[in-house]
């Protein structure tokens, strides 16, 4: 398990300590301890550096895994998430985190967003998302959606082209449940409150 200090930091990053530990323990069993060491060590901005900084840490841990291993890639991606958080806060972490390599779920809130153009949106607002069939069946939709159907199609079939079950869904959301929208954003992204979407309709694209 993560230490109390690490759990507090993860909470500040809007990451569930228990949920994330369960994920890495299920994936790597006892080797999940390396992630505990990682966040315990890189607990402040002044400790974050380049890839070389992480490589030195990994070497000192004597993990027995090289830079081509899956666990290395997962750990390095989490190190990058720490860097994003310390440099740009929760909003920067949410916007620029990568979907691959087991990145933990970040549940952003309205308190994490400084400025937005939500008032320009309809009420309710039609939104779209490209996702997996599994996400749709679980009804635990992620927070990033878009106003542009073409963008959702792109994410479903191009960005995640390795996922054969990519689909596009449409939903309606109340404006009060939209955390963020930037009218100048080329992807026309909207970030919604976690859990605000209960139902979505699959589109044939």
């Amino acid at each position: 398990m993560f230490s109390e200090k690490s759990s507090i930091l993860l909470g500040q990053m809007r990451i569930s300590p228990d949920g994330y530990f369960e994920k890495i323990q299920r994936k790597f069993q006892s080797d999940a301890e390396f992630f505990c060491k990682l966040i315990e060590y890189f607990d402040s901005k002044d400790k974050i550096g380049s890839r070389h900084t992480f490589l030195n840490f990994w070497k000192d841990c004597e993990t027995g895994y090289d830079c081509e291993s899956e666990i290395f890639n997962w750990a390095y991606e989490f190190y990058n998430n720490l860097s994003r958080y310390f440099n740009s806060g929760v909003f920067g972490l949410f916007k620029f985190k990568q979907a691959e390599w087991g990145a933990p779920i970040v549940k952003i809130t309205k308190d994490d967003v400084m400025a937005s153009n939500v008032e320009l949106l309809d009420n309710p607002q039609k939104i779209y998302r490209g996702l997996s069939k599994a996400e749709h069946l679980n009804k635990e939709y992620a927070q990033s959606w878009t106003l542009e159907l073409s963008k959702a199609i792109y994410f479903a079939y191009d960005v995640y082209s390795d996922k054969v079950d990519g689909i596009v869904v449409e939903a309606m959301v109340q404006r009060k449940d939209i955390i963020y929208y930037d009218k100048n954003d080329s992807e026309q992204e909207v970030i919604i409150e976690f859990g605000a979407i209960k139902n979505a309709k699959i589109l044939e694209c």
Side-chain angles (χ1 to χ4, degrees), residues 105-132:
I105 295 173
V106 177
K107 296 181 180 179
I108 194 170
T109 70
K110 287 183 178 179
D111 292 337
D112 302 315
V113 177
M114 298 299 294
S116 180
N117 301 130
V118 172
E119 72 281 356
L120 300 179
L121 299 175
D122 294 335
N123 189 32
Q125 175 67 55
K126 183 182 292 185
I127 55 178
Y128 306 94
R129 177 170 168 80
L131 40 64
S132 67

Side-chain angles (χ1 to χ4, degrees), residues 126-130 145-149 152 168-171 203:
K126 183 182 292 185
I127 55 178
Y128 306 94
R129 177 170 168 80
W145 293 66
T146 178
L147 303 182
E148 295 288 343
L149 176 57
V168 176
V169 298
E170 170 190 297
L203 299 180

Side-chain angles (χ1 to χ4, degrees), residues 95 145 180-190:
K95 287 284 287 181
W145 293 66
Y180 172 83
Y181 166 65
D182 178 0
K183 64 181 180 180
N184 298 314
D185 179 14
S186 62
E187 294 185 349
Q188 290 293 283
E189 179 186 29
V190 288

Side-chain angles (χ1 to χ4, degrees), residues 1-187:
M1 294 292 290
F2 292 114
S3 69
E4 181 178 1
K5 182 181 74 171
S6 296
S7 294
I8 291 173
L9 175 56
L10 286 168
Q12 292 170 342
M13 296 170 71
R14 305 292 188 256
I15 295 169
S16 166
D18 292 341
Y20 185 48
F21 186 79
E22 180 182 346
K23 179 177 182 177
I24 57 177
Q25 188 177 50
R26 190 186 316 118
K27 181 72 175 178
F28 300 113
Q29 290 79 51
S30 61
D31 285 338
E33 67 174 307
F34 298 130
F35 292 80
C36 298
K37 292 179 180 179
L38 188 158
I39 190 171
E40 190 77 16
Y41 182 79
F42 294 108
D43 62 350
S44 61
K45 183 176 180 178
D46 62 292
K47 292 182 179 179
I48 300 291
S50 64
R51 178 180 171 88
H52 186 69
T53 304
F54 177 80
L55 288 173
N56 284 338
F57 163 80
W58 194 250
K59 181 179 178 181
D60 290 343
C61 281
E62 298 181 344
T63 65
Y65 296 99
D66 62 30
C67 300
E68 301 299 321
S69 62
E70 188 174 29
I71 189 172
F72 174 90
N73 286 322
W74 278 50
Y76 183 56
E77 182 53 33
F78 186 63
Y79 169 79
N80 288 330
N81 282 343
L82 286 167
S83 177
R84 294 180 185 109
Y85 170 71
F86 286 127
N87 284 292
S88 306
V90 174
F91 184 71
L93 169 60
F94 184 90
K95 287 284 287 181
F96 301 112
K97 64 183 172 60
Q98 302 298 310
E100 64 270 23
W101 301 125
I105 295 173
V106 177
K107 296 181 180 179
I108 194 170
T109 70
K110 287 183 178 179
D111 292 337
D112 302 315
V113 177
M114 298 299 294
S116 180
N117 301 130
V118 172
E119 72 281 356
L120 300 179
L121 299 175
D122 294 335
N123 189 32
Q125 175 67 55
K126 183 182 292 185
I127 55 178
Y128 306 94
R129 177 170 168 80
L131 40 64
S132 67
K133 288 182 180 178
E135 181 181 335
H136 179 62
L137 291 173
N138 289 336
K139 305 300 182 186
E140 294 184 358
Y141 298 108
Q143 293 180 270
S144 289
W145 293 66
T146 178
L147 303 182
E148 295 288 343
L149 176 57
S150 61
K151 293 297 181 182
I153 293 172
Y154 172 72
F155 275 94
Y157 303 120
D158 291 345
V159 174
Y160 303 117
S161 58
D162 60 318
K163 302 182 185 304
V164 296
D165 59 346
I167 58 174
V168 176
V169 298
E170 170 190 297
M172 298 297 291
V173 62
Q174 295 296 315
R175 193 162 57 200
K176 66 179 179 59
D177 293 326
I178 300 175
I179 293 174
Y180 172 83
Y181 166 65
D182 178 0
K183 64 181 180 180
N184 298 314
D185 179 14
S186 62
E187 294 185 349

